[in-house]
Every structure is written in C-alpha cells, then in structure tokens.
Amino acid sequence: MAEPTETAADVEARLKAFSVWCEQRGCNLQKVRIAATGHGLGLVATEPIAAGQVAASIPLTALLSVPAALRSEVGQAVLRSKAAGGGQVSAQALMYIAMIDGRARASSTWHQYLALIPSHHHDPLWWPKPDRCRLLAGTQLLHESDRHELQLREVFESLFPALSEEDSTLFPPERFSLEAFKWARSSLASRCFAESQLEIMLSQGNGEDCPKQVEKPASLQLRPEEAARLLHDCPAVLCPLLDSTNHHPDSRVHVGLLPPGAVHIDNNETHLALAVQNFSYSAGDEVFNNYGSCRTNLQLLLG
C-alpha cells in the first residue's frame, strides 16, 4: 500500500473529492465539515450544535456493510469463483476485498471515501517483529498481536493467490497482497461501527430521548441464500463521514437510525446519524465521538 509522499494540496484535493461524494450521496453536512484538526482529520462544526441535536448523518445506501460488499462486483466474483468452491466465504475477507478494490478503482461506489483513509497504520501489526517482541514482552498484547496476524494470514490464504491466478484482471496480485489485507484489517478495526447500531432508532431529528430497539433495515440484512454462503466473522460496518469523528473521553453520543423525513435534505432515505448528548458546540469547534469509556489498551490498539 506504499504511496508517494503527499503534499498538503494532495490531501486537500482528496478532502474536496470526499466532500463532493458526501453531497452526491445525500449525506447531511448542514452543520459540519471535514477538516484538519489537532487530532488529524475530523468533523468541525460550521454552526452551533446544541446537546441532543444530530451533528451529521449518512444514508444507509452509502454504508459499506457485509451485504454491500457481498453484492458488489468483486463480492459476486468471489462467490462465483473456483477459489471459493461453492462453499462458505469469510465475511471479513469480503469486506477487505471490497475495501482494497474500492480504494484502487475510481469507479467504485466508495472510492473517494476509501482514498481518504491513511495508507499506513500504527497498531502492533505494523511494528517490525523485533520491536513488537521487545516492547510487548510479557504482555497479553504480544500474544493477541501474533494471534491477529495469524488469523489475517489465514483469511488471506483462504482465497489468495488462487483468486488472482483465476482472474488477474479483477484481482491483480500486486493489488491483492497480504500487505493490502493488513491495511484493510487495520482500517476496518480502527474505524468501524457495530452492526448493532443499525438496530437503534433515534427520535425525530434529535437524540435526547431514549433510543428504541428496532429491526435492522431490510436493505442491510442478508438474504437466506446469501447468509448461507458466509462465515459470519465480521459484525462491523463502515460509515463514511461519521467515522471522521475523533475520540474524547468525556463526550457522550447516540448513534442510530433516523427515519425518512427526519433529515432536512433533499431525499427520503433512512439515515444513520450521530447525535451529541452532553457537549454543545460553537462554529469552529471539533465535534467528538466516544470510542468507548471501558475499552482496554489491548482493544484500543488492536480494534
């Protein structure tokens, strides 16, 4: 996944492309914009946002979920492949393949979003093995890092290099490498939202009331014949725009669905929204998420 050193102009161009993508997909950017912050890229308020209000939202059609990955061109090619052999395929592998393809291929639905994700990460899977052993010696994190690395290799080798040998045009080996799978794994682990948040309904236009448990929208459910083809090892979804928020330990938010008509923009789709709870923001403030107040260092480092 190595890329040439980027200039500020390169980053600005990718930010602009992603902002245009968000507008074209019907994302709610009325109160925020994506910008460089003291914590890297983040969401910055463009107008006051009171506690209990929705800061941003994204239509469900723009999410990168397991069903979306499975139904994509590369996902369908995997299921039809000799490499899959008509058996079950890892849902993780499908997500990674869709992410790698989407980052590389400009015609992908999610290209502008995936191109904005850094090409390198800093979790222990990216550390040189001697450094990992030295710095984590005697800790559970060393064991878990090695376990995650082994699992990643097993997921990769369940389909590659067989897929590349079968169809080198759609799955070029220089693109679908173990290194690329590592990028996808770390990107997903550090940015994903839990599928369970697709079963929470917020109140109309705000998050002050207690969210209600609902059934996951039909478009995000696997059909029985699809579910039968998968190993269900990926209860995660990528949420462009919402995953641009950085962590603050004192921030409280609700993430859940808003029904059609609750978002005042020109579409009639269900949205996934982030509503702030205890912070109020002025224009120019960074809008924060909370990645979990009870997560251990192991969970934070490995996802």
Side-chain angles (χ1 to χ4, degrees), residues 20-63:
V20 170
W21 181 90
C22 287
E23 292 172 3
Q24 292 173 338
R25 295 297 184 281
C27 299
N28 176 12
L29 279 165
Q30 295 175 321
K31 297 182 184 212
V32 296
R33 62 184 176 89
I34 308 149
T37 73
H39 307 91
L41 293 180
L43 290 189
V44 174
T46 56
E47 62 180 67
I49 304 174
Q53 288 187 325
V54 168
S57 67
I58 176 173
L60 301 186
T61 51
L63 303 179

Side-chain angles (χ1 to χ4, degrees), residues 150-169:
L150 177 61
Q151 181 194 39
L152 179 64
R153 182 176 291 277
E154 290 173 347
V155 169
F156 173 75
E157 291 179 349
S158 69
L159 292 169
F160 291 94
L163 273 176
S164 297
E165 293 167 355
E166 187 175 333
D167 187 347
S168 60
T169 301

Side-chain angles (χ1 to χ4, degrees), residues 21 25 61-64 68-69 72 98 102 108-115 240:
W21 181 90
R25 295 297 184 281
T61 51
L63 303 179
L64 179 44
S72 69
S108 164
T109 300
W110 302 282
H111 175 70
Q112 289 80 2
Y113 160 63
L114 294 166

